[in-house]
Amino acid sequence: MSSSYPHSGNTLPIVVRSAHDGMPTVRRIQMSDLTASLRAGWEDFMALPSHAIILALIYPVIGLIVARLVHGYDILPLLFPLAAGFALLGPFAAVGLYELSRRREAGESPSASDALSVLSSPSLGAMLAIGVLLMILFAVWIATAQAIYVATFGYIPAARIPDFLGVVLTTSQGWTLILVGCGVGLLFAIVALCISVVAFPLILDRHASATQAMTVSMKAVAQNPVPMAAWGLIVAALLVLGSLPLFLGLAVVVPVLGHATWHLYRAVVEPATETYHQPVQPPKPKRYAADFPVNLMPWTK
């Protein structure tokens, strides 16, 4: 059957055929698909290293700023939650990388400026909607992490890094902070994974609405719980490894994961049977100064 996606905001409709409810069809994937996606992501990164790294430089910069804030404003207990929480925003921050992979997949030779073309996408509103949702989730996570620290250690300010790490790793209070913090953080990560694992690539590729994109993402996780759980662990592990050398490793890890996410989307969601074409907008009529202020009242013409 044929159905049209309803649209909201500046999201334009797209016609997609599906055997069931008109939503994009979600495939079942295997662990080998994760490996293939990472391999394809690495190939994209090697083919587009300069602009991929430029796009990801914001992550090391943020990391260094956070490290400076730790020394200047005594927010050391939030250093790990902040670093881990950036993974919640990663799917939104990597939208430009998805566009580069999409263009390369289509046989183009994209440049850095092509990553910014998402700003003129008709589905920008849907992407921003989910992006704001992830930012709210990030803010709630940071507030929760702070509450967990206060509940464990009280309002005692953290000491210097060696002392603080020693207390966290050698005391019962420290292990309580680690276990509870990681457990609660896992819940936030699961929520972010469910609503965004393929949401942004789907919006970019099919111009779906935010609701449809999140629904497809949740369906992808529900139908592939083990591979998606493994994907979440892979992302978390790579982000931790990239964060260890003063966050500089994220300049490689983030673009590779961004490109790989596009290929994971291709493996999970069946392609549309009809290609989306943005409607051609008619040229705007010329307006002349002599017509002012009549041209402000088109109903009089």
Side-chain angles (χ1 to χ4, degrees):
M1 62 181 293
S2 178
S3 61
S4 298
Y5 279 1
H7 64 285
S8 60
N10 61 354
T11 304
L12 296 180
I14 173 175
V15 178
V16 178
R17 291 189 179 91
S18 174
H20 300 289
D21 55 1
M23 297 291 286
T25 303
V26 174
R27 300 185 180 119
R28 294 189 180 277
I29 61 173
Q30 307 296 326
M31 299 297 289
S32 58
D33 291 305
L34 305 185
T35 304
S37 297
L38 287 170
R39 186 183 304 112
W42 175 256
E43 291 173 356
D44 283 353
F45 172 73
M46 293 303 294
L48 311 166
S50 56
H51 17 87
I53 290 179
I54 290 174
L55 288 169
L57 279 179
I58 186 174
Y59 283 85
V61 169
I62 290 176
L64 293 175
I65 291 175
V66 169
R68 178 65 185 89
L69 289 174
V70 165
H71 293 286
Y73 300 97
D74 197 26
I75 59 170
L76 182 58
L78 293 181
L79 178 59
F80 177 76
L82 283 169
F86 290 141
L88 303 179
L89 303 177
F92 178 54
V95 169
L97 298 172
Y98 308 148
E99 176 64 11
L100 293 180
S101 288
R102 186 188 71 81
R103 289 174 178 260
R104 184 168 183 263
E105 179 184 81
E108 301 180 23
S109 298
S111 63
S113 61
D114 291 323
L116 301 178
S117 64
V118 297
L119 298 177
S120 59
S121 171
S123 55
L124 179 62
M127 288 187 281
L128 289 176
I130 301 181
V132 169
L133 182 60
L134 292 178
M135 290 179 186
I136 294 174
L137 191 66
F138 173 77
V140 174
W141 156 241
I142 295 302
T144 302
Q146 174 67 24
I148 293 173
Y149 173 79
V150 171
T152 306
F153 285 99
Y155 292 95
I156 302 175
R160 292 178 298 107
I161 288 181
D163 297 332
F164 178 72
L165 292 179
V167 170
V168 169
L169 296 175
T170 59
T171 66
S172 59
Q173 287 177 308
W175 280 104
T176 298
L177 178 67
I178 292 173
L179 295 177
V180 175
C182 289
V184 174
L186 177 62
L187 296 179
F188 279 89
I190 291 174
V191 172
L193 179 71
C194 288
I195 65 177
S196 67
V197 63
V198 296
F200 292 103
L202 178 64
I203 294 173
L204 186 64
D205 183 43
R206 307 270 279 268
H207 299 283
S209 69
T211 301
Q212 291 164 347
M214 289 189 291
T215 300
V216 173
S217 283
M218 288 186 284
K219 184 183 296 185
V221 174
Q223 293 189 11
N224 302 280
V226 175
M228 286 301 177
W231 178 253
L233 291 175
I234 290 172
V235 170
L238 290 178
L239 289 175
V240 169
L241 290 176
S243 300
L244 292 180
L246 296 177
F247 300 92
L248 296 178
L250 295 181
V252 175
V253 170
V254 170
V256 170
L257 287 176
H259 293 308
T261 298
W262 171 263
H263 296 286
L264 179 66
Y265 156 72
R266 283 301 196 202
V268 173
V269 180
E270 288 189 4
T273 56
E274 295 185 13
T275 304
Y276 171 84
H277 296 285
Q278 183 174 349
V280 178
Q281 300 295 330
K284 294 183 178 180
K286 293 183 178 180
R287 296 182 177 181
Y288 301 94
D291 295 331
F292 182 84
V294 177
N295 55 16
L296 299 178
M297 299 177 288
W299 60 86
T300 63
K301 297 181 180 180

